[in-house]
Amino acid sequence: MSRAANRVAILHGVNFDVLDRRDPELYGGLSLSELEYRIGRWASELHLEPSFFQTNSEAEFCGYLHRLGQGADAAIINAGAWTHYSRAIGDAFAVAPVPAVEIHLSDVEAREDWRKVSVFEGMIDTRVFGKGVEGYREGLSIIAERLGAGGG
Ligand code: DQA
């Protein structure tokens, strides 16, 4: 029997390693490991198998995207500030053959104009932003539905 497609890669970009030191009004005050713990719990409720990756290196992020299809059936991507200007990351995502949801903790559409731009535009059909940590739960549900992984 073939393997269920339920592996979801959770990718965090630049400055997420210091999430707990960033503005709690915008980003909620959790550490990255606390955030990943919650994502992990929600993922298993949805019968998804999460893997986690964070880097401050644009090159490493691109390399991870190049290999994404080898270890994941879908992805949740919060690339932080790179989202708004890294054409290299946009181009790297273009070769990633998996469905993805773009997530932002803060409401990027209600902040500075430069945060309204996304290099993933046109490649990612769902963006979730401004919902804090709960946004990840929503993103995971979208992925579970897409993969048909919600069974049991
Ligand atoms: C962010 C929004 C980005 O504009 C910012 O640079 C981040 C975090 C968010 O999750 O709200 O680093 O991606």
Side-chain angles (χ1 to χ4, degrees), residues 12-16 19 22 26-27 77-84 103-108 111-112 114-116 129-130 136:
H12 284 104
V14 63
N15 294 322
F16 274 90
L19 187 60
R22 300 182 72 187
L26 288 169
Y27 303 124
I77 302 182
N78 187 344
W82 286 331
T83 307
H84 314 303
I103 301 226
H104 300 284
L105 290 160
S106 65
D107 185 353
V108 285
R111 298 179 64 193
E112 302 91 329
W114 62 269
R115 293 188 202 268
K116 295 179 184 159
F129 51 86
Y136 287 84

Side-chain angles (χ1 to χ4, degrees), residues 29-152:
L30 292 184
S31 67
L32 180 63
S33 39
E34 288 163 345
L35 174 62
E36 289 181 342
Y37 177 76
R38 290 189 193 199
I39 295 171
R41 267 194 356 223
W42 290 327
S44 38
E45 281 168 22
L46 291 162
H47 307 282
L48 294 169
E49 196 184 299
S51 60
F52 298 97
F53 179 72
Q54 188 276 332
T55 181
N56 290 326
S57 156
E58 194 175 5
E60 278 178 17
F61 203 84
C62 288
Y64 196 90
L65 288 172
H66 295 166
R67 298 185 301 275
L68 193 58
Q70 293 166 25
D73 303 302
I76 290 218
I77 302 182
N78 187 344
W82 286 331
T83 307
H84 314 303
Y85 68 85
S86 174
R87 294 284 164 198
I89 285 174
D91 284 353
F93 178 73
V95 302
V98 300
V101 174
E102 176 185 338
I103 301 226
H104 300 284
L105 290 160
S106 65
D107 185 353
V108 285
E109 291 291 334
R111 298 179 64 193
E112 302 91 329
D113 281 349
W114 62 269
R115 293 188 202 268
K116 295 179 184 159
V117 175
S118 171
V119 298
F120 303 111
E121 169 120 46
M123 293 187 281
I124 278 185
D125 27 75
T126 313
R127 300 178 79 211
V128 179
F129 51 86
K131 297 186 175 173
V133 177
E134 283 292 319
Y136 287 84
R137 186 180 218 161
E138 184 174 327
L140 287 165
S141 304
I142 292 165
I143 297 266
E145 197 158 308
R146 181 84 187 259
L147 294 178

